[in-house]
């Protein structure tokens, strides 16, 4: 029994795709007799034709994978696509390094431990990439006598 026409009309009435139209297999004769849109509406109201629920895609596996990545798993050589500087750009690394250095220099200047000329000289050295980290800068400041060593 070919119910493709009924299925098509039901899909239009139910505002869904033809694959989501369910026709009761025990009532196919009643549905086959429905040839107008009004007939289709009546078989829908009697429950012989229904709209099926949309099938979703489970996000459970994706959530699990994301949790694993947060822990640092699944980030090995086989997973990586971009080059090292594509994954963490040089500029980002520079920003992470320079901001704490500049903050430290600013604090020392505001506290009065550095005068303006020394601050400016050290600022430009930091800009030139002389200091690897805050600890390196502090070590340099102590060894050059800019600030006295704390005992």
């Amino acid at each position: 029994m070919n119910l493709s026409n009924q299925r098509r009309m039901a899909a239009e009435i139910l505002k869904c795709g033809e694959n989501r139209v369910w026709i009761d297999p025990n009532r196919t004769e009643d549905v086959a007799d429905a040839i107008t849109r009004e007939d289709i509406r009546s078989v829908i109201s009697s429950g012989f034709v229904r709209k099926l629920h949309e099938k979703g895609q489970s996000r459970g596996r994706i959530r699990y994978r994301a949790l694993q990545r947060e822990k640092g798993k699944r980030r090995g050589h086989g997973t990586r696509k971009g080059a090292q500087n594509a994954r963490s750009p040089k500029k980002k690394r520079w920003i992470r390094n320079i901001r704490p250095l500049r903050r430290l220099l600013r604090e020392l200047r505001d506290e009065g431990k550095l005068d303006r000329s020394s601050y400016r000289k050290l600022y430009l050295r930091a800009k030139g990439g002389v200091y690897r980290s805050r600890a390196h800068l502090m070590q340099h400041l102590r060894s050059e006598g800019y600030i006295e060593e704390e005992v």
Side-chain angles (χ1 to χ4, degrees):
M1 188 174 305
N2 187 7
L3 299 174
S4 59
N5 208 29
Q6 284 82 349
R7 186 177 292 277
R8 179 187 56 77
M9 283 194 286
E12 285 177 24
I13 291 165
L14 294 169
K15 293 187 172 67
C16 67
E18 290 179 27
N19 291 334
R20 275 181 63 201
V21 173
W22 176 84
I23 298 171
D24 190 343
N26 303 325
R27 300 294 190 140
T28 50
E29 293 83 22
D30 296 336
V31 176
D33 292 340
I35 52 173
T36 65
R37 283 173 185 273
E38 197 53 49
D39 295 340
I40 295 290
R41 283 192 195 93
S42 69
V43 291
I44 288 171
S45 64
S46 59
F48 305 153
V49 175
R50 275 201 303 261
K51 176 162 61 167
L52 293 174
H53 287 294
E54 278 187 66
K55 288 194 187 95
Q57 283 183 339
S58 170
R59 298 236 357 125
R61 290 181 298 278
I62 290 102
R63 276 191 222 105
Y64 175 74
R65 204 172 302 139
L67 283 170
Q68 292 292 303
R69 286 224 176 93
E70 279 177 27
K71 292 182 198 170
K73 317 264 180 173
R74 310 184 72 98
R75 290 190 181 275
H77 292 293
T79 305
R80 299 175 199 171
K81 288 278 189 177
Q84 188 176 0
N85 291 327
R87 288 172 65 85
S88 63
K90 287 179 187 171
K91 185 173 180 176
K92 279 260 165 59
R93 203 170 351 154
W94 168 254
I95 289 168
R96 269 201 308 269
N97 190 26
I98 197 70
R99 282 180 180 172
L101 295 178
R102 287 177 174 167
R103 199 176 305 124
L104 176 64
L105 286 170
R106 208 165 38 240
E107 285 166 8
L108 292 171
R109 182 197 61 193
D110 294 344
E111 288 169 13
K113 293 181 180 176
L114 281 177
D115 61 341
R116 286 183 60 199
S117 61
S118 303
Y119 166 80
R120 182 52 43 195
K121 194 183 342 175
L122 291 163
Y123 185 96
L124 291 172
R125 281 186 187 170
K127 184 181 178 181
V130 174
Y131 308 114
R132 294 186 301 275
S133 62
R134 280 181 56 140
H136 187 215
L137 173 58
M138 287 303 288
Q139 180 188 358
H140 179 263
L141 291 173
R142 287 193 191 96
S143 65
E144 293 295 315
Y146 286 107
I147 55 175
E148 55 278 348
E149 296 194 31
E150 294 146 11
V151 179

